Amino acid sequence: MLAVVTVVSEPHADAGHPEQPARVTAIQAALAHSSLHERLTALRPVPATLEQVTRVHTPDYVAALGRAVHGPPRIIEPAPTYITPESFDCALLAAGGAIQAVETALAPTAREGELSGAFALVRPPGHHAMPEGAMGFCLFNNVAIAARHAQALGAGKVMIADIDLHHGNGTQAAFEEDPSVLFLSTHQNSLYPFASGPEDAMGLGAGVGCTLNIPLPPGSGDGAYERICEEIIVPAADRFGPDLLLVSAGFDAHWRDPLGELQLSARGYGRIVQTLRAIAMRHCGGKIALVLEGGYDLQALPACVLASLGALLGDEDLPDPIGPARSSEPDVRPLLQRVRLRHGL
Ligand SMILES: [Zn+2]
């Protein structure tokens, strides 16, 4: 079964900001007009508890954010993260949506050989949020909270594949010393948060080897990601052998997105999700949960989500009403070769 949990967070909004409620309502509208929705189960979101959130975030940060939102709507440091009086509750609901996605994926009702998946279509996004503070549009780290919740429910090894345009620095920070979580991130190099996510950041202490960064040159697109899936993601997953696969599903690496210069298409995203689905079927008994991160073009974002849902449902033929990028791609073979060598793949 494939479930969807949707959190629009209407009152968490700042006029003119790219991270806006229309991102999720555009996905809802596209789903309503697609036959895909007949094949999905809708879940009602439940807010995360403070106990669940503080498995990742420091109690001091959570308490400070709870106090800070009571002032006027404003940008907080580090910019460009905004808060409104409702932001704390919206962030709890987004984290709760990610938790529900994981609970659905782990539900014992799943039948042998079938996908047990969910997609948390939630905002605000999470992967920049650090254990001790907000960052980059993110208040709570939804995917990290979901990973810790899964482990509290008995999942041993969790793999997090972060396919957002940006490096998931908050997620890396949450798990970099932890060998039970493999964090793998593809992202445009030298983009926000700038010095974050170089190929030589491989984890710390007992977690060395369990952080795997693939910083891509501008222009990288479907061809580069096909190689990455085949040459890095699949062998890294086969070696790690996760019990659960989580995906930080950011769609701002689409060629139309205004925030970056990667060139994935909606179908290219769908192909990545086909690879991730196959990993989940092979290693995790079909248990996979996707959590929405970025994606700021209101045409590309729904197209990417629909292609990803089709891929999760096992469709071979993935819709792409927008089509591929028209520019050529840089050669990423030397980069992938270095990453493979560094990680012994
Ligand atoms: Zn992003």
Side-chain angles (χ1 to χ4, degrees):
M1 106 146 180
L2 181 59
V4 169
V5 53
T6 307
V7 175
V8 180
S9 295
E10 203 99 65
H12 173 74
D14 180 28
H17 198 287
E19 205 295 282
Q20 52 176 308
R23 297 176 58 232
V24 177
T25 53
I27 296 169
Q28 284 179 310
L31 259 180
H33 286 97
S34 151
S35 57
L36 281 176
H37 78 266
E38 295 156 16
R39 302 157 70 193
L40 304 170
T41 304
L43 303 175
R44 183 190 277 272
V46 176
T49 64
L50 295 181
E51 186 197 345
Q52 290 165 342
V53 170
T54 51
R55 286 184 185 131
V56 170
H57 295 286
T58 62
D60 282 356
Y61 164 55
V62 176
L65 183 67
R67 287 190 302 269
V69 294
H70 291 303
R74 64 193 186 283
I75 304 285
I76 54 170
E77 287 307 315
T81 311
Y82 63 83
I83 49 170
T84 72
E86 291 85 6
S87 290
F88 190 81
D89 291 336
C90 290
L92 285 178
L93 205 55
I99 282 176
Q100 274 175 299
V102 151
E103 288 187 347
T104 305
L106 295 175
T109 50
R111 274 178 289 185
E112 188 93 357
E114 274 188 16
L115 182 91
S116 180
F119 198 153
L121 296 166
V122 300
R123 61 173 293 278
H127 73 152
H128 296 305
M130 300 291 281
E132 61 286 341
M135 196 169 170
F137 315 167
C138 303
L139 298 176
F140 293 146
N141 196 314
N142 305 318
V143 81
I145 292 166
R148 285 297 184 220
H149 186 69
Q151 292 186 315
L153 293 178
K157 291 197 280 181
V158 178
M159 174 173 171
I160 302 175
D162 186 325
I163 54 173
D164 190 273
L165 165 72
H166 303 96
H167 180 238
N169 58 303
T171 314
Q172 177 177 301
F175 301 114
E176 61 192 344
E177 294 183 60
D178 185 345
S180 72
V181 177
L182 171 63
F183 173 69
L184 186 152
S185 175
T186 55
H187 47 272
Q188 183 177 332
N189 63 23
S190 308
L191 207 62
Y192 185 89
F194 309 112
S196 187
E199 54 191 87
D200 62 354
M202 297 175 63
L204 300 172
V208 168
C210 288
T211 294
L212 199 164
N213 285 310
I214 309 166
L216 292 161
S220 303
D222 293 358
Y225 278 84
E226 205 176 314
R227 280 186 181 278
I228 292 167
C229 283
E230 192 182 316
E231 297 177 19
I232 296 179
I233 297 182
V234 167
D238 287 348
R239 184 172 65 188
F240 183 69
D243 301 306
L244 170 70
L245 179 53
L246 298 183
V247 184
S248 260
F251 298 107
D252 37 9
H254 189 278
W255 63 268
R256 273 186 59 97
D257 196 275
L259 265 57
E261 296 148 307
L262 295 183
Q263 298 204 82
L264 271 171
S265 67
R267 186 167 288 139
Y269 263 115
R271 294 224 174 91
I272 298 169
V273 176
Q274 284 175 331
T275 297
L276 297 171
R277 179 189 197 275
I279 290 170
M281 298 304 285
R282 193 158 63 252
H283 292 289
C284 316
K287 297 187 280 290
I288 182 169
L290 276 63
V291 181
L292 183 66
E293 300 285 359
Y296 304 97
D297 180 84
L298 297 180
Q299 286 181 44
L301 174 60
C304 292
V305 170
L306 261 53
S308 300
L309 286 168
L312 286 171
L313 287 162
D315 295 351
E316 281 298 320
D317 190 24
L318 303 173
D320 186 353
I322 301 174
R326 287 194 187 85
S327 343
S328 60
E329 294 190 34
D331 183 5
V332 296
R333 284 174 297 185
L335 164 69
L336 303 191
Q337 171 72 4
R338 287 198 305 276
V339 173
R340 279 204 313 273
L341 270 176
R342 200 178 276 288
H343 284 271
L345 294 168

